[in-house]
Amino acid sequence: VETGVHSPPGEITTPPGKVSPTAAATVSPTTLAKPMSGMMIQEEGGDPIIRKGTAGKTVKLTANYVRLEMEGEKGMYEYEVKFSPLVDSRDERFKLVGQQRELFGPTKTFDGICLYLPHQLDQAVTVVKGIHPVDQSEVTLTMSLKHKKRLADKACIQFYNTLFRRIMTTLKMCQMNKNFYDPTAGHLVPQHKLEIWPGYVTSVQQFEGGVMLCCDVSHKVLRTQTAYQLLKDVVAQKPADMQGSVLKALLGAVVLTRYNNKCYKVDDIDWDMTPGSKFVDHNGEEKSFVDYYKKHYGITIKDEKQPMLINRAKKKTAEEADVAKLIALVPELCNLTGLTDQMKNDFRVMKDVALFTRVTPNQRQSALRKFLKNVNDSAEASSHLLNWGLRLAPDAIKLEGRLLNPEKLMAGKNFQFTVNSKADWGREITTNHMLTAVDLKKWSVVFVQKNDAVVQNFVSLMIKLSPKMGMKVAQPEMNQLANDRTETYLKAIRDNVNPNVQLVVAIMPTPRDDRYSAVKKLCCVEKPVPSQVINFKTISNEKKVSSVVQKVALQINCKLGGELWGCSIPPKLGNLMVLGVDVYHDPSRRGSSIAGVVSSTNMSMSRWYSSTCFQQPGQELIDSLKIAFIKALKKFYEMNHVWPDKVMVFRDGVGDSQLAMSAKYEAEQFKDSFKHISDTYKPGFGFIVVQKRINTRIFSMSGKELDNPPPGTVLDHTVTRRDWYDFFLVSQHVGQGTVSPTHYVVVHDSMELPVDAVQRISYKLTHMYYNWPGTVRVPAPCQYAHKLAYQVGEHIHKEPSAKLEDRLFYL
């Protein structure tokens, strides 16, 4: 609506070109001084995309979703607020709008630009005067009605999430990132100096079954150690570059200040500033940090000489971005959050933390009920919803899902077996022959002198146990080393590797990343040969060594180009090629990422071709992905002498926000590369995004009790996305805690396959990851691509040799 013309509400015309509500929130006030054209949201038309399968048997499920119910049809009126003169600071805008309580009534939502009210103001344009909170000057506020929305409208989703954030604050929850935690219900883990806060992840979205709240349990680990203590610990080690070491330890850490339960990220350390330094507070007075904390929070700062931590506040509007707002924090008042890498590697710490964070399905659902009860019992929290005519359903949603039939797998000597209900075939695979075994005739073992006895035992077990799985192993060449220096290992391997050597086994006395990386770099790039690095501790335990050797033999067979088991793809699908893509982001080198691309080269999905793409800074990742994609198609042709009729790409590592943009774009680009094979080549093409990090939890209902759904459970309606062809699949069996389903979003589909076939193939592929004799959470090509990208990005840093591309050398 042009600002000059005010059509009555209800007749609001929609200019061409819709803008999403989130885009509206990022427009700066200066651009808002122009008429707001193109800011209208059309009434949501169109039916949701519902793609349901029918295969398998029906199972009763429930999920962590709660319906939002409308009580009566209250509308939502959206006003655009303009300030004259312009007010840049978001906080000041909120205060100005807050001054107008009598006019707006008790219920309003304001996001800095748009004001949402549950009732209409008398005039279409309302002009009021306010007092600027800082310099007390007069500011004119102009509220003009943009449009009335139905609360069931998709554009209201952002508004619901704001509403729930407010409810959480009312329930005295403390916000960290996007989640909310309850500081009053923390559990202490004194032996590791930790505290664990329980909390919730909530999000409201529109699903096929209407608007629902998804609510999951989350936990935040806090350390009782303060930033000050960490600083002291670093200084106590007397490092050469003290400031550098302290910076390294604290930079990027998230700290929690206990006096106001807020979280800050440490962006810098100011060595010239101390708690004794002066600053100007919001009333314009100058005072030192020591006095400020004493007066406001009653806290006495002990060490007045400590440097201050600096946090750069995130800017909400474009204007504020120019004025860098720095927040200075006192290290001794900042508690560190999260677990250090050292803690993550400590089995005992993780075990004790898991007692609190690993939650069973019944505990999860009771936490959800408790949350609903808290909202409904607290008059203030429930009034947030009631004022808008909304109500949360009293309990989680009940659903029907389907359980797919168990898979049949093939091993060597035509042995076929059906996978059991726990989706685990460790027994079958070690007692039968592998699908295709490669005999190990010439191999070399490199080890340190002092580990001699254990290594000899390992070798004799390899020779003894492997034939049971169909693999003949000859006596290796044994290379004793005088010491365990990296150079010693590398020299021994260089001297021993010649074109006839099939495999190098390096046994390391201690796990050390630098040595591991050096050996892998040598064996993958410089002298390409399959390599197996084994930690001495793994093979030194008498009781477990046999099962370890069996697993090592299986892994070695994969690295030599063998196959462990296969699955059957129905012949009526034609020649199907599947491809997995995953990306590794190198945290130290921003902007350069490495993608692994792994594709099948036979119909039993038991042979794979792997290639890596390096993204150069400033170059689109998809450009190098296309090259890998064409290489994969050519490899399929080379192996089968026929081009694939159908190609399915499983893409891991794309979040919700990038679905529409990157996934659609990548799918188009991939589809575009078929013409590089020939102009007439147009196979069926599917592009499926696989999401692991989701907050959806599915539970199976047996009587009153809830349990984890069995592997093969599919849910493809009600709680799936309204605007996508998608489904949830539970493929793993977990012993403790709650299983996480995997979300499959079919972004592009020209395969002309029924829904059941797509779900079935996805489930089949979770059985084909050779590093684990059971199902995994994502289709095998994704898991391989992840492993490849990680291995290359973390250790090798170069493109692996083409000689290794047709084997799973990175397992």
Side-chain angles (χ1 to χ4, degrees), residues 626 629-630 633 668-683:
K626 275 170 88 168
F629 185 53
I630 293 163
L633 286 166
E668 291 302 323
Q669 291 284 330
F670 271 138
K671 200 173 177 190
D672 193 42
S673 28
F674 292 131
K675 66 171 193 287
H676 292 288
I677 305 293
S678 84
D679 293 341
T680 51
Y681 180 52
K682 289 191 173 63

Side-chain angles (χ1 to χ4, degrees), residues 434 436-444 462 466 471-474 500-505 529-532 552-564 607-608 770 803-811:
M434 311 183 224
T436 313
V438 179
D439 292 339
L440 190 51
K441 298 179 182 125
K442 194 158 169 30
W443 58 305
S444 168
M462 271 291 290
S466 301
M471 177 176 172
K472 295 194 187 73
V473 177
N500 303 332
V501 173
Q502 286 170 285
L503 172 85
V504 172
V505 176
V529 59
S531 57
Q532 179 80 34
V552 167
L554 288 169
Q555 211 181 35
I556 285 175
N557 186 43
C558 296
K559 291 184 177 179
L560 297 174
E563 303 160 44
L564 303 188
R607 291 197 71 95
W608 302 92
Y770 287 154
K803 290 185 182 148
L804 297 172
E805 284 182 339
D806 55 352
R807 330 195 170 156
L808 300 168
F809 64 90
Y810 42 83
L811 279 188

Side-chain angles (χ1 to χ4, degrees), residues 212-284:
M212 290 188 247
L213 167 78
C214 170
C215 176
D216 192 25
V217 180
S218 162
H219 290 88
K220 188 79 188 160
V221 180
L222 306 172
R223 289 184 262 163
T224 45
Q225 185 189 31
T226 61
Y228 178 70
Q229 288 159 334
L230 179 66
L231 208 134
K232 280 270 179 256
D233 291 350
V234 174
V235 173
Q237 291 165 5
K238 298 203 169 74
D241 171 17
M242 189 205 58
Q243 294 196 356
S245 305
V246 172
L247 203 59
K248 192 173 171 205
L250 278 169
L251 205 60
V254 176
V255 296
L256 173 92
T257 46
R258 272 298 169 72
Y259 48 84
N260 60 357
N261 278 339
K262 279 213 164 93
C263 276
Y264 302 95
K265 187 170 166 221
V266 180
D267 292 315
D268 201 359
I269 298 177
D270 190 336
W271 297 93
D272 304 330
M273 204 170 172
T274 64
S277 309
K278 295 254 198 313
F279 71 101
V280 178
D281 71 356
H282 55 279
N283 299 327

Side-chain angles (χ1 to χ4, degrees), residues 463-573:
I463 295 169
K464 188 177 115 194
L465 296 175
S466 301
K468 288 184 187 155
M469 298 181 279
M471 177 176 172
K472 295 194 187 73
V473 177
Q475 187 67 35
E477 204 171 292
M478 306 289 277
N479 297 293
Q480 275 197 23
L481 307 179
N483 57 41
D484 66 352
R485 300 219 315 271
T486 307
E487 299 77 56
T488 322
Y489 271 92
L490 296 182
K491 184 176 186 314
I493 295 172
R494 273 200 190 92
D495 295 347
N496 276 295
V497 172
N498 57 42
N500 303 332
V501 173
Q502 286 170 285
L503 172 85
V504 172
V505 176
I507 291 162
M508 305 280 185
T510 52
R512 254 185 42 204
D513 264 357
D514 57 334
R515 185 167 53 201
Y516 176 82
S517 299
V519 169
K520 283 293 176 197
K521 207 178 230 167
L522 173 67
C523 297
C524 293
V525 183
E526 193 184 321
K527 291 222 173 222
V529 59
S531 57
Q532 179 80 34
V533 177
I534 302 174
N535 181 5
F536 172 71
K537 196 173 151 200
T538 328
I539 52 169
S540 56
N541 182 338
E542 283 291 314
K543 296 189 186 72
K544 294 186 187 160
V545 68
S546 303
S547 71
V548 169
V549 169
Q550 283 176 331
K551 294 196 175 87
V552 167
L554 288 169
Q555 211 181 35
I556 285 175
N557 186 43
C558 296
K559 291 184 177 179
L560 297 174
E563 303 160 44
L564 303 188
W565 60 84
C567 67
S568 54
I569 299 279
K572 61 173 188 275
L573 288 180

